[in-house]
Amino acid sequence: MNKTGFIFDLDGVIVDTAKYHYLAWKNLAEELGFEFTKEQNELFKGVSRKRCLEILLDIGNVTASKQDFDRWMIEKNEDYLKYIEKMDESEILPEVPRVLKFLKQKQVPIALGSASKNARPILEKVKLLSYFDTIVDGNNVTKAKPNPEVFLIAARELEVKPENCVVFEDAVAGIQAANNAKMKSIGIGDAKILTKAKHNFNDFTEISSNFLESLISE
Ligand code: BG6
Ligand code: MG
C-alpha cells in the first residue's frame, strides 16, 4: 500500500487568523480612504501578502509607487503581528488537535502548506508545531496558490507521492492548488464557496475518525 501524507493549510484551517488579516487590510484601506468589506476579503484567502496588496489597491483605485507599495506591505504586516501577538491555544479551530493526534497515532506524515510568512511563530504560539514533520510556508515558495508549488514541496519533503496526499484547505485558491497538484482536496468551510473540493466539511467537528481512517487506507 502507498503511504498517505496529510497537508494542512494554516489560516482558516488550523487557526482563525483570517479575521486578523482582514482587520489589518481594513485598517490600511481606511487609511488610504476607502472601505474594504468582508465579502472582498474572501478573495484574499490563501493569497500571498503581495498579491493581496495589489488586489486591495485595485479595489480602492489607488496607484502606488514602489516605495509606497513596500511601505504598505510592511505596515500591514506590523499591524497583523500586533493582532497575533497574544494568540494562544484558545484560537485553535474546533477539534484540530483531535485530528492531529489521531493522525500522529497512526504515524502518518503531516505537513503544513501555507502561503503565510508568519506560519512558524503562529504554530509555536498555539503549541502545535511539534505535530508537523515539515513546514512549507510563504518563505519557501516562489509561486502562490493556486499554483501547486507549496503542496508539491510538502509532498516531496514528506516523501509521499502527490497523488497520495490529502490537503485540508479553506480557500478557493488553495483547493485549486491541491487539485492542480493532483492531491485529494478537502474543503473546510462553505461548500457553496469551495465548489471544487473533493470533499467538504464546515469544520473538523464533522470529520470522523472513520473518515480519516478511510483516507489513510485508500
Ligand atoms: C494565507 C492567508 O494563509 O497567508 C492570506 O490566507 C495571507 O490571507 C497569506 O495573505 C500571507 O500571509 P502573511 O502572514 O505572510 O502576510
Ligand atoms: Mg487558509
Side-chain angles (χ1 to χ4, degrees):
M1 197 179 65
N2 281 316
K3 187 165 70 159
T4 308
F6 283 76
I7 306 176
F8 290 77
D9 173 46
L10 176 73
D11 297 313
V13 169
I14 291 179
V15 283
D16 188 16
T17 34
K19 64 182 181 215
Y20 298 137
H21 279 296
Y22 170 62
L23 288 173
W25 287 124
K26 190 169 139 64
N27 292 343
L28 181 61
E30 267 163 24
E31 187 192 312
L32 299 177
F34 63 95
E35 283 256 345
F36 175 56
T37 66
K38 277 206 163 137
E39 289 67 40
Q40 290 166 330
N41 188 55
E42 279 303 312
L43 296 172
F44 284 44
K45 292 187 177 172
V47 174
S48 71
R49 194 183 310 164
K50 182 166 175 282
R51 184 70 199 121
C52 286
L53 182 54
E54 287 166 0
I55 305 173
L56 190 83
L57 297 179
D58 269 354
I59 292 171
N61 238 326
V62 175
T63 32
S65 65
K66 166 95 176 62
Q67 214 181 12
D68 289 336
F69 193 95
D70 292 347
R71 184 162 49 87
W72 292 332
M73 287 261 284
I74 293 169
E75 207 176 299
K76 183 269 169 180
N77 193 52
E78 283 177 352
D79 201 15
Y80 176 68
L81 290 178
K82 276 188 211 141
Y83 285 114
I84 63 166
E85 200 183 295
K86 294 188 190 72
M87 268 184 88
D88 61 21
E89 294 104 304
S90 66
E91 301 205 43
I92 298 173
L93 286 164
E95 297 198 15
V96 169
R98 172 184 64 82
V99 170
L100 289 172
K101 271 184 201 135
F102 179 85
L103 295 175
K104 211 69 200 161
Q105 241 170 33
K106 296 282 168 186
Q107 296 184 320
V108 296
I110 306 174
L112 189 88
S114 166
S116 173
K117 294 188 173 172
N118 297 303
R120 203 173 269 274
I122 291 175
L123 284 178
E124 272 167 9
K125 278 179 203 298
V126 301
K127 302 199 168 56
L128 290 178
L129 188 62
S130 63
Y131 284 98
F132 294 88
D133 298 298
T134 185
I135 308 285
V136 187
D137 64 20
N139 300 297
N140 310 107
V141 295
T142 54
K143 300 178 203 93
K145 300 171 186 176
N147 188 288
E149 186 186 24
V150 62
F151 296 142
L152 292 174
I153 296 175
R156 194 181 66 213
E157 292 194 359
L158 294 181
E159 298 179 349
V160 177
K161 290 190 204 136
E163 61 268 34
N164 293 328
C165 287
V166 174
V167 175
F168 295 102
E169 256 294 348
D170 71 314
V172 173
I175 294 292
Q176 286 169 340
N179 293 343
N180 288 340
K182 306 267 180 295
M183 298 178 177
K184 192 170 293 165
S185 55
I186 304 200
I188 301 293
D190 192 340
K192 289 198 278 313
I193 295 175
L194 305 173
T195 53
K196 296 282 189 290
K198 178 149 200 280
H199 301 277
N200 196 274
F201 301 94
N202 284 311
D203 57 36
F204 284 98
T205 65
E206 296 179 357
I207 299 187
S208 67
S209 300
N210 282 347
F211 177 72
L212 293 172
E213 189 81 60
S214 73
L215 293 171
I216 297 170
S217 52
E218 248 170 30

